[in-house]
Amino acid sequence: MVVYLHPFVWGLRKPPSYEPSNKTKELIFKLNKKYGLNASIQSNSDTLWYFIDVRNSTIKKLHNFKLIDYVSHQPQKQINQNVLKYYTADFIKEFEHKRYFDSIIMVYDTLIYKAKIQ
């Protein structure tokens, strides 16, 4: 208990982050294959406490859900913004945690597409 309360140990704990379920991982894998992207989940809210707070209505504003694809592996590949739009629409249809987020942001290199979930 003393170690847990010690202020120098606080910096050693892993910051909260969203851990996707297997269904979400499979959805992203399927959509990446379909659209030829390499999107991944990064910098989203903590699953446990954020979801509990949303269910208990203690959060005033829902967060964005972010999918990122940085183009370091294929610099010549050209992507149209419509591909991001279709990817996001398909993701929203099958995403199991859509009630916990207000919008989705899809980032592909310098292109950014944002869509409302609810």
Side-chain angles (χ1 to χ4, degrees):
M1 186 69 162
V2 174
V3 173
Y4 181 76
L5 295 176
H6 197 275
F8 294 107
V9 178
W10 294 346
L12 300 176
R13 286 186 285 173
K14 181 182 165 192
S17 62
Y18 177 79
E19 294 296 329
S21 65
N22 288 335
K23 186 176 179 182
T24 305
K25 287 179 187 177
E26 290 172 10
L27 174 63
I28 291 172
F29 179 75
K30 181 178 79 169
L31 292 175
N32 283 344
K33 194 173 182 181
K34 179 179 178 181
Y35 291 104
L37 298 175
N38 192 20
S40 61
I41 298 172
Q42 294 181 355
S43 68
N44 289 303
S45 297
D46 176 37
T47 306
L48 179 63
W49 296 111
Y50 176 70
F51 284 9
I52 290 171
D53 289 343
V54 170
R55 274 187 250 136
N56 294 336
S57 301
T58 57
I59 291 185
K60 302 201 184 326
K61 184 179 178 206
L62 297 176
H63 295 187
N64 297 326
F65 188 81
K66 194 176 233 181
L67 289 168
I68 298 175
D69 185 0
Y70 289 113
V71 189
S72 59
H73 56 284
Q74 296 173 339
Q76 273 33 20
K77 186 177 176 184
Q78 294 292 325
I79 274 289
N80 189 352
Q81 183 128 6
N82 288 333
V83 172
L84 300 181
K85 180 180 177 182
Y86 299 140
Y87 186 102
T88 309
D90 287 347
F91 185 81
I92 290 172
K93 285 179 197 171
E94 298 182 38
F95 185 45
E96 63 182 336
H97 297 144
K98 59 180 130 185
R99 68 179 178 166
Y100 297 109
F101 300 96
D102 67 343
S103 61
I104 182 169
I105 298 174
M106 180 74 186
V107 178
Y108 180 82
D109 197 27
T110 58
L111 289 175
I112 298 174
Y113 180 77
K114 184 174 181 179
K116 287 256 184 224
I117 290 180
Q118 300 170 347

